[in-house]
Amino acid sequence: MNYVSTRDKSVKVSAAKAIAQGISTEGGLFVPDTFPTLSVADFEALIKMNYIERAKFVLSQFLNDFSEDEVDYCVKGAYTGSFDNEQPAPISLINKNANILELWHGPTCAFKDLALQLLPYLLTTSAKKVNDGKKTVILVATSGDTGKAALEGFKDVPDTEILVFYPSEGVSPMQKLQMDSQKGENVHVCAIKGNFDDAQTGVKKIFTDNAVKEKLAENNMLFSSANSINWGRLAPQIVYYVSAYCDLLEREPECVKDGFNIVVPTGNFGNILAAYYAKKMGVPVNRLICASNANNVLTDFIKTGTYDRNRNFYTTISPSMDILISSNLERMLFELSGNNDKEVAALQDSLSKNGTFTVSDEIKTKMGELFWAGCCDDKATLETIGKYFDEYSYLCDTHTAVAMNVYEQYVNTTGDDRPTVIASTASPYKFAKSVLSAVSGKTGDSEFDTVRVLSEETNTEIPEPIKALENAKVRFKELCEKDDMLSAVYGALGI
Ligand SMILES: *Cc1c(COP(=O)(O)O)cnc(C)c1O
């Protein structure tokens, strides 16, 4: 297996190269040119394994130029002792069909940890193979959760520097504090005046600028990405969908014989794409349900075949999904077009020039067969949190609530009562203010007061990483114009 660029299939690289480089030079994203499939016997073996063993099994199929020892070192390093639960991705069954896949038991309380605890291992192992001694500089644009998870994953990792940009008004107070108080010698954090798309566009521009690349090279440095455009982010996410299927099989094989659905609260399309890849590998997924908040560009796209980012941008209570340019959709388009790099390049070109594209009827039809899409606004999000707490005593965060709401819409529209896995992407304590008001109508005086009241009202535990933040010292206070991101990069690197 090799990795090809979605915009030029003649660009063919190994897994290590794809991960070390992050993005292809002409702007395309790396995807495997063939996909491994899992047999019935494989699943029987996987069921008996723990999460670390399952991860090794699945990932080794994608890491073509990693040795068995290297995969073992990476996976064990990532998942040993870093999650508050022996099982990093446990399932909570809240009613007959709704299986909540809790992906927030890691050090930053969001699903990004599943990938970003592993990525530094994958990246440094890859860099040793292909980058002959250069220092890797990680640039991150974040809507809140990626930034912190990447900082935690990369802090003090030798031969790396990490620089995170976040929209100053676009993240929750807890997310902001999590990032601004980050410890580590190789970490840098900068708020920008703009929204997430500005941050992401700025980072992509710096990445693909040849003059910048040369300047880094002169200083024996090289860029890579910890955003979900990096294949090393996506591969670890496939694992938890395979693992969730194994857990369902183990619990009640009969109930998944006609397949099951997966609902994912979606922003950059990385998490739901990983669920699609799990399906492609043989996990019997019926429908992939794409849930959006008021920034419903994907809902419209899946329903109409036209992607149009020329619309209002809303700042919502589920900020990690406040995105109008879903980068990983590009990989899905590559799939749906039958690996047609020219077609993908033309669509992406139209997106960057006009902010919109319309796919062929063929792609639209295939998309409609695989996906179902829905969205919900802040009011419905809060009602959903309240409802699930009242009815099932299950406390969920704002992002997960969007998924639960859209799942209800799906069931009401289609009548499909198959078992369903709902990806729960963050701890409710990361968005305590919204969650508290949803379950009790109360508000706290300060952020941490709110956290305590939420714990008392709901009789749930405050996660340790959130508790520890209360006394954390703010280290980063920089705020830069969106056009000054490059100087912030040079400043942080001292070049
Ligand atoms: C990042 C994030 C999402 C969106 O995931 P994508 O892979 O970008 O679609 C949803 N919920 C939370 C809590 C997140 O941090």
Side-chain angles (χ1 to χ4, degrees):
M1 175 207 286
N2 279 300
Y3 289 78
V4 292
S5 163
T6 49
R7 295 187 200 177
D8 181 357
K9 273 193 293 194
S10 69
V11 178
K12 224 179 235 240
V13 300
S14 69
K17 182 85 181 152
I19 293 169
Q21 200 175 315
I23 188 169
S24 185
T25 38
E26 82 300 325
L29 308 183
F30 289 118
V31 286
D33 61 358
T34 54
F35 265 82
T37 48
L38 298 169
S39 64
V40 173
D42 287 335
F43 283 117
E44 275 165 10
L46 280 160
I47 288 176
K48 302 196 187 81
M49 299 179 188
N50 65 21
Y51 194 84
I52 287 182
E53 290 162 340
R54 287 175 183 172
K56 277 166 55 178
F57 190 97
V58 174
L59 288 166
S60 58
Q61 323 227 9
F62 288 100
L63 301 170
N64 61 332
D65 54 348
F66 280 51
S67 69
E68 212 180 308
D69 282 350
E70 284 169 337
V71 175
D72 183 72
Y73 158 78
C74 292
V75 171
K76 284 197 177 134
Y79 299 125
T80 309
S82 42
F83 288 73
D84 71 8
N85 193 308
E86 287 223 358
Q87 213 302 27
I91 288 182
S92 268
L93 183 67
I94 58 169
N95 63 30
K96 183 165 108 334
N97 286 329
N99 297 274
I100 311 289
L101 178 61
E102 294 181 351
L103 301 171
W104 40 263
H105 291 278
T108 76
C109 307
F111 88 92
K112 309 286 198 297
D113 286 329
L114 270 302
L116 280 161
Q117 283 295 305
L118 180 56
L119 183 67
Y121 289 95
L122 297 179
L123 205 128
T124 47
T125 306
S126 300
K128 276 200 195 107
K129 292 178 190 292
V130 297
N131 286 352
D132 46 79
K134 290 200 182 66
K135 182 179 253 190
T136 305
V137 178
I138 311 291
L139 285 192
V140 183
T142 184
S143 56
D145 291 328
T146 301
K148 177 61 182 181
L151 289 162
E152 249 335 282
F154 280 98
K155 77 164 180 236
D156 294 329
V157 171
D159 300 321
T160 68
E161 290 284 329
I162 173 163
L163 178 56
V164 170
F165 291 101
Y166 69 82
S168 65
E169 304 300 325
V171 301
S172 80
M174 199 63 89
Q175 290 175 319
K176 185 173 162 58
L177 182 59
Q178 277 188 313
M179 289 186 277
D180 290 348
S181 65
Q182 178 65 44
K183 294 189 182 128
E185 291 304 312
N186 63 338
V187 303
H188 313 272
V189 177
C190 184
I192 66 154
K193 293 183 195 161
N195 61 32
F196 169 70
D197 290 316
D198 295 323
Q200 178 161 261
T201 307
V203 162
K204 269 199 181 167
K205 212 161 108 195
I206 296 172
F207 260 132
T208 43
D209 184 327
N210 282 327
V212 182
K213 246 180 255 167
E214 273 167 33
K215 184 160 167 114
L216 256 75
E218 282 162 22
N219 289 279
N220 207 28
M221 295 175 178
L222 193 79
F223 280 133
S224 190
S225 164
N227 278 99
S228 54
I229 54 175
N230 192 320
W231 178 255
R233 275 283 299 278
L234 284 177
Q237 297 183 191
I238 300 171
V239 174
Y240 51 73
Y241 291 113
V242 172
S243 179
Y245 173 53
C246 293
D247 289 348
L248 295 185
L249 266 182
E250 190 179 21
R251 195 176 68 208
E252 212 185 328
E254 265 306 287
C255 97
V256 280
K257 72 178 191 317
D258 295 325
F260 66 101
N261 302 311
I262 298 179
V263 193
V264 186
T266 295
N268 229 349
F269 211 78
N271 204 4
I272 196 165
L273 179 71
Y276 166 77
Y277 286 145
K279 176 179 166 83
K280 197 171 158 83
M281 290 177 77
V283 175
V285 181
N286 173 53
R287 272 299 176 91
L288 295 156
I289 300 167
C290 176
S292 301
N293 63 22
N295 295 297
N296 57 1
V297 62
L298 285 167
T299 318
D300 290 348
F301 170 62
I302 290 169
K303 289 191 174 152
T304 67
T306 294
Y307 192 95
D308 189 358
R309 61 158 302 208
N310 303 308
R311 58 176 71 211
N312 284 337
F313 177 89
Y314 299 103
T315 301
T316 73
I317 56 171
S318 44
S320 302
M321 294 152 67
D322 291 347
I323 293 177
L324 292 180
I325 307 174
S326 294
S327 297
N328 270 298
L329 189 59
E330 178 165 347
R331 287 186 163 109
M332 196 69 225
L333 295 172
F334 188 73
E335 279 288 317
L336 296 172
S337 66
N339 296 6
N340 188 332
D341 51 354
K342 305 261 174 337
E343 191 173 352
V344 172
L347 292 172
Q348 292 303 136
D349 190 48
S350 167
L351 181 64
S352 75
K353 288 203 178 102
N354 314 315
T356 178
F357 62 74
T358 299
V359 295
S360 64
D361 285 345
E362 199 190 332
I363 292 186
K364 187 187 159 200
T365 306
K366 278 195 215 156
M367 188 96 190
E369 284 162 8
L370 287 166
F371 293 89
W372 195 90
C375 56
C376 93
D377 62 13
D378 281 355
K379 183 162 167 281
T381 304
L382 292 172
E383 281 163 11
T384 306
I385 295 173
K387 177 179 158 181
Y388 276 82
F389 187 68
D390 288 346
E391 282 183 21
Y392 305 106
S393 302
Y394 189 81
L395 190 67
C396 72
D397 93 295
T398 48
H399 303 76
T400 308
V402 170
M404 287 169 156
N405 183 287
V406 170
Y407 173 52
E408 281 184 12
Q409 296 176 34
Y410 171 79
V411 173
N412 291 339
T413 310
T414 62
D416 179 5
D417 65 353
R418 280 188 183 79
T420 295
V421 166
I422 300 172
S424 175
T425 49
S427 157
Y429 283 91
K430 265 192 119 160
F431 305 93
K433 191 166 165 228
S434 302
V435 174
L436 178 62
S437 77
V439 294
S440 72
K442 291 189 180 168
T443 50
D445 290 334
S446 67
E447 194 63 25
F448 288 95
D449 187 43
T450 307
V451 163
R452 277 186 291 273
V453 179
L454 181 61
S455 174
E456 285 154 19
E457 286 285 321
T458 61
N459 214 2
T460 56
E461 288 279 327
I462 307 171
E464 285 303 325
I466 301 272
K467 266 189 212 165
L469 271 183
E470 185 158 12
N471 300 314
K473 203 169 136 260
V474 170
R475 289 180 68 197
F476 299 100
K477 295 177 183 151
E478 203 178 334
L479 175 64
C480 85
E481 299 289 339
K482 63 182 183 203
D483 295 329
D484 290 343
M485 288 168 63
L486 183 57
S487 13
V489 172
Y490 288 159
L493 298 177
I495 60 175

